[in-house]
Amino acid sequence: MRRIMLLGSQIALLLFILLAPGVTLAQGPEPPSGIPTPAFHPPFPLPPIRPTPLPPVEVKYIRVAVDIKDHIATTQVDQVFYNPADVPLEGTFLFPFAKGVSVSSLVMHVDGKVMEGELLSKEEARRLYEEIVRSRRDPALLEYIGNDAFQLNVFPIPPKGERRVQLKYSQLLEAERGLASYSYPLNLPAFAHLVVNEVAVSVNIASRVPIKAVYSPSHPVSISRPDDFKAHISFEGSKVTLDRDFRLFYSVSESELGLTLLTYRRPGEPGYYLLLVSPQVKVEPGQIVPKDLLLVLDVSGSMTGQKLEEAKAALRYILGNLGKEDRFNILAFSSFVQPFQRGLATAAQRQDALKFIDSLQAQGGTNIGAALEEAVAMVSGERPTIIIFLTDGLPTVGVMDPAQILKESKAKGRPGTRIFTFGVGFDVNTMLLDSVAQEFGGASQYVKPGENLEEALSSFYGKVAAPVLTDLRLDYGKVQVLDVYPPRLPDLFLGNQLVIAGRYRSPEERVTITLRGMADGRERVFEYAGNAFPEEARDDTSLPRLWASRKIGFLLQEIRLKGQDRELVEEVIGLSKQYGIATPYTSFFVPEPGPVPLGRPGPMGTPVPMPASGRAAVEQSQTITSYSSATVAPTAPTGPQVRVAVDKTFVLRDRVWVDAAYVEGRPTIQVPFGSPEYFRLAERYPWARSYLAVAERVIVVLDGTPYEVTELEASAYKEIEPGMQDTPLPVEGSDGPSADSRAGPGPVSLWSRVLSILASVGRWFRGLTG
């Protein structure tokens, strides 16, 4: 029977470490005593003991159900493992808990039978993690040092057989200033290639205090809010790559508007922050701000048939969901503009408006300029005004120059006007529609051929039907913020939360954030005291890439609408290389053979095409919008030669994973993998464990100093003399490590160290080779 270790599931950390794809069983360096020990070198195989590795154990599905009641979370995990090998596999299941988890109960079943295991303290788990890192040459567990763990005795998986593992545990979620977070690890860099057929996470939250923000920075979740005291969050995916933990934040507050702050900062660098502004889910009718709504509909000849019928159905839905105090008008346009009536109508006139909609027919050209001008001229300025502008074509009548159309519309526009544009099909001028939406504080949306226009338009209106606060402004007190996206704050609507990403300098522990906005013609002010922009914060490692995505989206839109500027293009390329985000100007394609270029910029002499209309234009606009409005960090590029960790990108060069911030040829401080210096480096820079976990051999720049993790030497199996344990790590500018320190720790008792670290691996190894 072959013996393996399972790393337990706070997702499938449930991995069979020694049989991961690409891992070759190899004979490692012999310690001075001559005792052979196994080494596992995915990138650097030594002479193999077996020519072919056994196939990796597969994870068929991972299902996680979480119930959170007043910050007490009960998690139930259901997973199935499959052994594709022709021999039985025997494993030990190791389950690392997230940091700060206080486990109150834990029950585990394997194929329906209760299994007994042991909870390991932080100290016991630390020793076990370090042994796994050293003996299996696997740095991935560095991120879990300091966590508690659960270890289960060995259980066999028969050839071509399955084992179902069910786990249930409870924990108390810590809440600070009303903000609680839940984490379920689904990320192990060394096994990011593993694809799980099905991953499903379901979270139910119930609270006696009203729930405000509900946000996942890690996964695109679906959120349902039946009332202010309950929330249901779900994520479902197939063929899921295990490259990020599932993270969920939620806040509770009695205030009318909730404000939630998340931060990430490495010492000595500007920090990242995410601000969530969340209104109540249910409000009294008097709390909703009355609005004016202008529906501008293209009825040119190209709208004939299904498109016009779907647009009419959407307009009927919108009129049926007007507020009692709302006013509206409908402007149908083709070669000329035909309004429902001159001036704004009240909600009581809906029946007449429905008859007007029924009478509309598709004919004539497309006079976009006249329709926009007449719509903005109808804005009273007395209350928030939303203009929904829908077209399926290019300007063919009247003013046809997009720049002139935008200029004339701006000249007649009034404060408080928001224009949301809808392009139907591919034959639309995306430059014009995007420019209008950006200029008037709205957004653009496109409905591709085959997509349902009625559903898209009705769904959109549901998000903007009830304004709560308009013309928003934020004051961060003594904290200096920069690069805030979106640069212009949108209005706040019932049932939606604002997501604002930025960076900050001058850390402050107690800051009052002030939010101002207009409601029903008067200014309202909300103050939130006690917010922290700390010197060091590493609770949410997704913030750097989320912020970078938004900035890249903003820059790409500027380039697209205003022309390709060299400085903007270079800034996009720089952000793409640092944060590992693909753009039209960069790629992560690696030619073979040859060096590995990270983010290959296209020459400025041949700029990236930016079409105004057609399929490519629509898709380009949608891609840029997905960057600029991202609420989840973009998926990191995957492949054999590129890896991303937090805010750094690593590329494989000469069998070493190299930090994109490293300057080629610069001297490095060498740290042997698995040595005491290696673990002291992880202790000195706790936020750098994600970087060290990328691979066994890495070059990473920390606080301006490049460190190179080198191959494990035989001396790494030796114990350290007591006096050497506190040997400080060298930094750039010092004399560097001595020859002795480069070679590894000093000798003491080889036998005790080898036996304590490699006992279980030795048994497995002897069984394999015997």
Side-chain angles (χ1 to χ4, degrees):
M1 182 178 291
R2 308 299 163 81
R3 182 180 179 86
I4 54 176
M5 172 165 282
L6 290 174
L7 261 189
S9 135
Q10 276 220 344
I11 138 155
L13 283 185
L14 291 171
L15 297 174
F16 292 67
I17 295 182
L18 302 182
L19 299 178
V23 176
T24 301
L25 302 182
Q27 181 165 350
E30 290 192 3
S33 64
I35 297 177
T37 56
F40 303 94
H41 271 84
F44 321 110
L46 296 175
I49 295 171
R50 299 180 64 95
T52 305
L54 293 174
V57 171
E58 298 173 6
V59 183
K60 297 191 71 173
Y61 66 73
I62 299 168
R63 298 167 184 165
V64 183
V66 187
D67 279 304
I68 302 175
K69 295 182 179 179
D70 296 319
H71 301 327
I72 297 176
T74 300
T75 301
Q76 298 186 68
V77 186
D78 185 2
Q79 300 171 95
V80 169
F81 296 95
Y82 173 70
N83 173 17
D86 295 323
V87 295
L89 296 177
E90 186 175 291
T92 298
F93 181 86
L94 178 64
F95 188 103
F97 292 106
K99 274 189 172 58
V101 169
S102 176
V103 180
S104 59
S105 65
L106 190 150
V107 179
M108 185 170 186
H109 293 78
V110 176
D111 289 343
K113 297 179 180 179
V114 176
M115 303 295 292
E116 293 185 1
E118 62 175 325
L119 284 171
L120 304 179
S121 67
K122 288 182 175 61
E123 293 71 23
E124 293 170 323
R126 173 188 291 272
R127 286 195 295 270
L128 183 57
Y129 293 148
E130 291 189 4
E131 288 172 6
I132 295 172
V133 170
R134 287 193 184 99
S135 62
R136 291 167 175 79
R137 310 185 95 158
D138 177 5
L141 280 179
L142 282 175
E143 296 190 76
Y144 297 96
I145 289 179
N147 297 23
D148 292 330
F150 173 77
Q151 180 175 262
L152 179 68
N153 292 333
V154 174
F155 58 91
I157 304 179
K160 310 298 183 183
E162 295 182 352
R163 279 290 182 265
R164 183 182 182 187
V165 177
Q166 295 170 286
L167 182 68
K168 180 178 179 180
Y169 64 94
S170 299
Q171 66 190 88
L172 176 64
L173 304 181
E174 294 184 359
E176 185 174 358
R177 295 189 301 275
L179 176 65
S181 67
Y182 174 85
S183 177
Y184 188 84
L186 290 168
N187 176 36
L188 201 59
F191 299 96
H193 57 265
L194 181 66
V195 176
V196 180
N197 291 331
E198 175 195 340
V199 175
V201 182
S202 174
V203 184
N204 287 306
I205 304 175
S207 173
R208 287 175 292 182
V209 180
I211 301 170
K212 288 297 187 292
V214 178
Y215 172 69
S216 172
S218 60
H219 290 74
V221 297
S222 173
I223 301 175
S224 173
R225 298 288 306 273
D227 55 44
D228 284 313
F229 302 91
K230 296 177 183 177
H232 176 71
I233 303 93
S234 62
F235 165 77
E236 293 184 6
S238 58
K239 304 297 181 183
V240 177
T241 301
L242 305 181
D243 62 354
R244 60 180 66 189
D245 294 342
F246 178 82
R247 300 293 307 277
L248 180 69
F249 292 90
Y250 70 95
S251 64
V252 296
S253 172
E254 296 284 1
S255 62
E256 182 180 342
L257 293 182
L259 185 141
T260 304
L261 177 67
L262 307 176
T263 57
Y264 177 86
R265 189 176 193 271
R266 297 200 314 240
E269 299 182 8
Y272 303 85
Y273 76 90
L274 192 76
L275 198 67
L276 306 173
V277 181
S278 312
Q280 296 168 296
V281 175
K282 302 290 185 181
V283 298
E284 298 298 326
Q287 293 178 271
I288 297 176
V289 178
K291 66 180 183 296
D292 290 341
L293 177 65
L294 299 171
L295 303 169
V296 186
L297 175 63
D298 183 347
V299 292
S300 61
S302 59
M303 285 287 291
T304 301
Q306 184 178 354
K307 286 191 288 187
L308 183 58
E309 291 308 311
E310 289 180 357
K312 287 182 176 182
L315 263 59
R316 295 187 190 101
Y317 170 84
I318 292 172
L319 292 182
N321 287 273
L322 289 174
K324 291 183 179 180
E325 302 298 322
D326 290 347
R327 300 182 301 193
F328 74 97
N329 204 343
I330 303 170
L331 288 80
F333 74 94
S334 52
S335 299
F336 57 90
V337 182
Q338 179 187 2
F340 162 58
Q341 68 172 39
R342 302 186 67 83
L344 294 168
T346 66
Q349 297 173 272
R350 279 181 287 199
Q351 292 302 318
D352 292 336
L354 291 174
K355 295 178 183 177
F356 175 77
I357 292 173
D358 291 339
S359 69
L360 295 176
Q361 296 181 356
Q363 58 186 2
T366 309
N367 197 337
I368 290 178
L372 272 174
E373 280 189 51
E374 190 160 335
V376 296
M378 200 172 288
V379 176
S380 67
E382 302 170 359
R383 54 169 72 178
T385 300
I386 295 174
I387 299 176
I388 298 177
F389 189 95
L390 186 149
T391 182
D392 76 332
L394 306 170
T396 60
V397 178
V399 179
M400 289 183 283
D401 177 25
Q404 187 64 27
I405 292 174
L406 180 62
K407 180 180 178 181
E408 293 180 3
S409 300
K410 287 169 58 178
K412 295 188 177 182
R414 295 193 180 207
T417 304
R418 303 288 182 261
I419 300 182
F420 297 89
T421 59
F422 274 79
V424 182
F426 294 132
D427 193 23
V428 292
N429 190 313
T430 61
M431 298 286 196
L432 174 59
L433 298 183
D434 291 350
S435 296
V436 168
Q438 180 175 291
E439 182 63 36
F440 285 91
S444 57
Q445 187 169 329
Y446 295 92
V447 182
K448 296 180 180 179
E451 296 179 345
N452 190 293
L453 174 58
E454 178 187 355
E455 291 180 2
L457 197 54
S458 301
S459 174
F460 164 77
Y461 180 73
K463 298 175 183 178
V464 301
V468 175
L469 206 63
T470 63
D471 300 312
L472 272 63
R473 302 177 306 284
L474 279 167
D475 185 337
Y476 294 88
K478 296 179 289 183
V479 174
Q480 179 187 356
V481 299
L482 63 154
D483 280 338
V484 179
Y485 300 100
R488 177 178 178 177
L489 295 181
D491 296 336
L492 184 62
F493 297 93
L494 187 67
N496 292 283
Q497 62 186 11
L498 299 186
V499 181
I500 303 159
R503 303 199 69 177
Y504 68 92
R505 302 185 193 274
S506 60
E508 296 285 346
E509 288 299 326
R510 297 192 64 81
V511 177
T512 297
I513 299 176
T514 304
L515 173 67
R516 291 181 170 84
M518 301 299 295
D520 206 14
R522 59 188 179 90
E523 183 180 60
R524 300 201 60 188
V525 180
F526 302 86
E527 293 187 343
Y528 304 89
N531 292 283
F533 289 83
E535 176 73 27
E536 180 176 1
R538 49 191 175 94
D539 289 336
D540 190 359
T541 57
S542 67
L543 293 189
R545 297 188 73 247
L546 174 58
W547 169 85
S549 173
R550 288 199 163 199
K551 180 163 185 176
I552 286 173
F554 171 78
L555 293 173
L556 288 176
Q557 190 73 310
E558 289 291 296
I559 292 169
R560 183 167 174 269
L561 299 182
K562 299 178 182 179
Q564 302 200 47
D565 176 83
R566 177 181 293 273
E567 290 186 4
L568 295 183
V569 170
E570 289 177 350
E571 191 169 3
V572 168
I573 293 171
L575 289 167
S576 173
K577 292 170 66 176
Q578 178 179 350
Y579 295 93
I581 300 174
T583 74
Y585 293 95
T586 50
S587 69
F588 294 91
F589 168 73
V590 181
E592 292 289 354
V596 179
L598 173 62
R600 302 178 61 199
M604 289 299 296
T606 55
V608 174
M610 297 283 183
S613 61
R615 174 189 289 269
V618 169
E619 291 177 349
Q620 192 174 75
S621 175
Q622 290 178 321
T623 298
I624 291 174
T625 299
S626 71
Y627 283 143
S628 60
S629 61
T631 57
V632 175
T635 301
T638 58
Q641 293 170 302
V642 180
R643 290 180 182 174
V644 175
V646 191
D647 57 349
K648 284 184 177 289
T649 302
F650 294 82
V651 292
L652 187 60
R653 292 182 180 143
D654 297 328
R655 302 185 302 176
V656 179
W657 290 93
V658 181
D659 185 348
Y662 172 68
V663 178
E664 196 69 34
R666 187 177 174 188
T668 62
I669 293 174
Q670 297 190 349
V671 180
F673 175 82
S675 67
E677 290 93 340
Y678 179 77
F679 289 104
R680 284 203 298 273
L681 184 66
E683 286 296 314
R684 178 175 179 177
Y685 298 104
W687 44 268
R689 293 175 183 172
S690 297
Y691 311 144
L692 296 175
V694 165
E696 176 186 340
R697 291 197 60 190
V698 296
I699 294 177
V700 59
V701 179
L702 305 176
D703 284 349
T705 300
Y707 292 89
E708 180 175 2
V709 180
T710 59
E711 291 189 59
L712 184 66
E713 303 291 343
S715 58
Y717 290 98
K718 302 176 183 178
E719 291 227 19
I720 304 179
E721 295 178 6
M724 295 183 62
Q725 292 184 0
D726 296 324
T727 303
L729 283 166
V731 295
E732 191 170 63
S734 70
D735 293 335
S738 65
D740 290 339
S741 67
R742 290 192 189 97
V748 174
S749 171
L750 171 66
W751 280 101
S752 63
R753 190 60 173 167
V754 169
L755 292 177
S756 64
I757 294 178
L758 301 176
S760 61
V761 176
R763 288 193 298 271
W764 178 85
F765 179 75
R766 288 193 297 273
L768 181 68
T769 57

